[in-house]
Amino acid sequence: MQVSAVSSAQASSTGATSSPSSVSTETFLTLLTEQLRHQDPMEPMSGEQMLSQMSQLTMVSEVVKLGTAMQSMATVQGVTGMASLVGRTVEWKDTEAGTSGSGVVTQVQRTSDGWQACIGNQTVPLDAISSIA
């Protein structure tokens, strides 16, 4: 079976990109329609081939959903880990700010610079914490 080349104008109009994870269902169906439209009438795509392509699309879609769920789970686990620092005594050394010390974490917060532990009236980046008691 021969499939005609897709021009860059057609590729941009269908939303196709070079990243496999960004191929949407709409893009896949557009490409499948073009493939069916330009197939050799003497050797059309078999039902098995179409089913195979549809199952591949379903599999990719489910893998993307799984990746999203795993990312959400990792975020929740990270927040839970940060919350477990509250009430604990930590030691830190922030070489960038030139500070060090120890104290009890009263809260953790997310800023534009990342997660920070609040210790007294000071905020300390979590990567500066060297030990937790």
Side-chain angles (χ1 to χ4, degrees):
M1 165 188 346
Q2 287 188 310
V3 179
S4 65
V6 177
S7 70
S8 61
Q10 287 173 318
S12 64
S13 70
T14 61
T17 63
S18 61
S19 173
S21 64
S22 67
V23 175
S24 68
T25 303
E26 183 180 328
T27 302
F28 176 82
L29 292 175
T30 301
L31 291 172
L32 181 61
T33 303
E34 284 299 311
Q35 184 178 8
L36 290 172
R37 185 177 295 147
H38 296 289
Q39 70 181 335
D40 183 357
M42 302 306 282
E43 292 185 36
M45 180 186 293
S46 71
E48 290 174 1
Q49 289 172 320
M50 187 173 293
L51 182 61
S52 172
Q53 288 187 10
M54 293 303 285
S55 67
Q56 288 173 358
L57 171 66
T58 302
M59 186 172 67
V60 168
S61 176
E62 293 302 315
V63 168
V64 169
K65 286 179 188 177
L66 180 62
T68 302
M70 294 290 285
Q71 189 174 26
S72 295
M73 192 169 94
T75 300
V76 168
Q77 186 177 14
V79 170
T80 303
M82 300 305 134
S84 71
L85 289 176
V86 175
R88 310 265 318 256
T89 301
V90 297
E91 292 182 9
W92 77 89
K93 183 169 185 151
D94 188 352
T95 55
E96 192 173 298
T99 60
S100 64
S102 66
V104 176
V105 177
T106 56
Q107 76 178 51
V108 290
Q109 61 187 11
R110 186 174 179 118
T111 66
S112 59
D113 296 329
W115 286 98
Q116 307 257 331
C118 296
I119 304 167
N121 61 356
Q122 187 170 15
T123 57
V124 176
L126 289 182
D127 61 350
I129 294 175
S130 57
S131 70
I132 303 168

Coordinates of all heavy atoms in Angstrom, one line a residue, residues 3-4 6 17-18 22 28 32-33 35-38 44 57 67 69 79-80 82 91 106 118 122 131:
V3 N 1.2 5.4 0.5 CA 0.6 6.5 1.1 C 1.3 7.8 0.6 O 2.5 7.8 0.6 CB 0.7 6.5 2.7 CG1 0.1 7.7 3.3 CG2 0.1 5.2 3.2
S4 N 0.5 8.8 0.2 CA 1.2 9.9 -0.4 C 1.9 10.7 0.7 O 1.5 10.7 1.9 CB 0.1 10.8 -1.1 OG -0.8 11.3 -0.1
V6 N 2.9 13.7 3.0 CA 2.2 14.8 3.6 C 3.0 16.1 3.6 O 4.2 16.1 4.0 CB 1.8 14.5 5.1 CG1 1.1 15.7 5.8 CG2 0.9 13.3 5.2
T17 N 3.2 17.0 15.2 CA 4.5 17.5 15.6 C 5.5 16.3 15.7 O 5.1 15.2 15.5 CB 4.4 18.1 17.0 OG1 4.0 17.1 18.0 CG2 3.4 19.2 17.1
S18 N 6.7 16.6 16.0 CA 7.7 15.5 16.0 C 7.7 14.8 17.3 O 8.3 13.7 17.4 CB 9.1 16.2 15.8 OG 9.4 17.1 16.9
S22 N 2.7 14.0 21.8 CA 1.8 15.1 21.5 C 0.8 14.7 20.3 O 0.0 15.6 19.9 CB 2.6 16.3 21.1 OG 3.3 16.2 19.9
F28 N -4.4 11.5 14.8 CA -4.3 10.1 14.3 C -5.5 9.8 13.3 O -5.2 9.2 12.3 CB -4.4 9.2 15.5 CG -4.4 7.7 15.1 CD1 -3.3 7.0 14.8 CD2 -5.6 7.0 15.0 CE1 -3.3 5.7 14.4 CE2 -5.7 5.7 14.6 CZ -4.5 5.1 14.3
L32 N -5.2 8.7 9.5 CA -5.8 7.4 9.1 C -6.8 7.7 7.9 O -6.8 6.9 7.0 CB -6.6 6.8 10.3 CG -7.2 5.4 10.0 CD1 -6.2 4.4 9.5 CD2 -8.0 5.0 11.2
T33 N -7.6 8.8 8.0 CA -8.5 9.1 6.9 C -7.7 9.4 5.6 O -8.1 8.9 4.5 CB -9.3 10.3 7.3 OG1 -10.0 10.1 8.5 CG2 -10.3 10.7 6.2
Q35 N -4.8 8.2 4.9 CA -4.2 6.9 4.4 C -5.3 6.1 3.7 O -5.0 5.5 2.6 CB -3.7 6.1 5.7 CG -3.0 4.8 5.3 CD -2.5 4.1 6.5 OE1 -2.7 4.6 7.7 NE2 -1.8 3.1 6.3
L36 N -6.5 6.1 4.2 CA -7.6 5.3 3.6 C -8.0 6.0 2.2 O -8.3 5.3 1.2 CB -8.8 5.3 4.5 CG -8.7 4.4 5.7 CD1 -9.9 4.6 6.6 CD2 -8.5 2.9 5.3
R37 N -8.0 7.3 2.2 CA -8.3 8.0 1.0 C -7.3 7.8 -0.2 O -7.7 7.7 -1.3 CB -8.4 9.5 1.3 CG -8.9 10.3 0.1 CD -9.0 11.8 0.4 NE -10.0 12.0 1.4 CZ -10.0 12.9 2.4 NH1 -9.0 13.8 2.4 NH2 -10.9 13.0 3.2
H38 N -6.1 7.6 0.2 CA -5.0 7.4 -0.8 C -4.5 6.0 -1.0 O -3.4 5.8 -1.6 CB -3.8 8.4 -0.5 CG -4.2 9.8 -0.6 ND1 -4.5 10.5 -1.8 CD2 -4.4 10.7 0.4 CE1 -4.9 11.7 -1.5 NE2 -4.8 11.9 -0.2
P44 N -6.6 -2.8 -0.6 CA -7.0 -1.9 0.4 C -6.5 -2.4 1.8 O -6.2 -3.6 1.9 CB -8.6 -2.0 0.4 CG -8.9 -3.3 -0.3 CD -7.7 -3.5 -1.2
L57 N -3.3 3.1 18.9 CA -3.8 4.4 19.4 C -4.3 4.3 20.8 O -4.0 5.2 21.6 CB -4.8 5.0 18.4 CG -5.5 6.3 19.0 CD1 -4.5 7.4 19.0 CD2 -6.7 6.6 18.1
G67 N 0.9 8.0 32.6 CA 2.0 9.0 32.9 C 1.5 10.2 33.6 O 2.1 10.6 34.6
A69 N -1.2 10.2 35.5 CA -1.6 9.8 36.9 C -0.4 9.6 37.7 O -0.4 9.9 38.9 CB -2.4 8.5 36.8
V79 N 4.3 16.5 48.2 CA 3.7 17.4 49.2 C 3.5 16.7 50.5 O 3.8 17.4 51.6 CB 2.3 17.8 48.6 CG1 1.5 18.6 49.7 CG2 2.5 18.7 47.4
T80 N 3.2 15.5 50.6 CA 3.1 14.7 51.8 C 4.5 14.7 52.5 O 4.6 14.9 53.7 CB 2.6 13.3 51.6 OG1 1.3 13.4 50.9 CG2 2.4 12.5 52.9
M82 N 6.9 16.9 52.2 CA 7.2 18.2 52.7 C 6.4 18.5 54.0 O 6.9 19.0 54.9 CB 6.8 19.3 51.6 CG 7.5 19.2 50.3 SD 9.2 19.2 50.4 CE 9.6 17.9 49.3
E91 N 18.6 20.8 60.3 CA 19.8 21.6 60.2 C 20.0 22.0 58.7 O 19.7 21.2 57.9 CB 21.1 20.8 60.7 CG 21.1 20.6 62.2 CD 22.3 19.8 62.6 OE1 23.3 19.7 61.8 OE2 22.4 19.4 63.8
T106 N 8.1 25.3 61.0 CA 6.8 25.6 61.4 C 5.8 25.5 60.2 O 4.6 25.2 60.4 CB 6.7 27.1 61.9 OG1 7.2 27.9 60.9 CG2 7.5 27.3 63.2
C118 N 9.9 27.0 56.5 CA 9.8 28.2 57.4 C 10.3 27.8 58.7 O 9.7 26.9 59.4 CB 8.4 28.8 57.4 SG 7.8 29.4 55.8
Q122 N 12.7 32.8 59.2 CA 13.6 32.6 58.0 C 13.0 31.5 57.1 O 12.4 30.5 57.6 CB 14.9 32.2 58.5 CG 16.0 32.1 57.5 CD 17.4 31.9 58.1 OE1 17.5 31.6 59.2 NE2 18.4 32.1 57.3
S131 N 20.1 17.8 57.5 CA 19.7 16.7 58.4 C 18.3 17.0 59.0 O 18.0 18.2 59.2 CB 20.7 16.4 59.5 OG 20.7 17.5 60.4

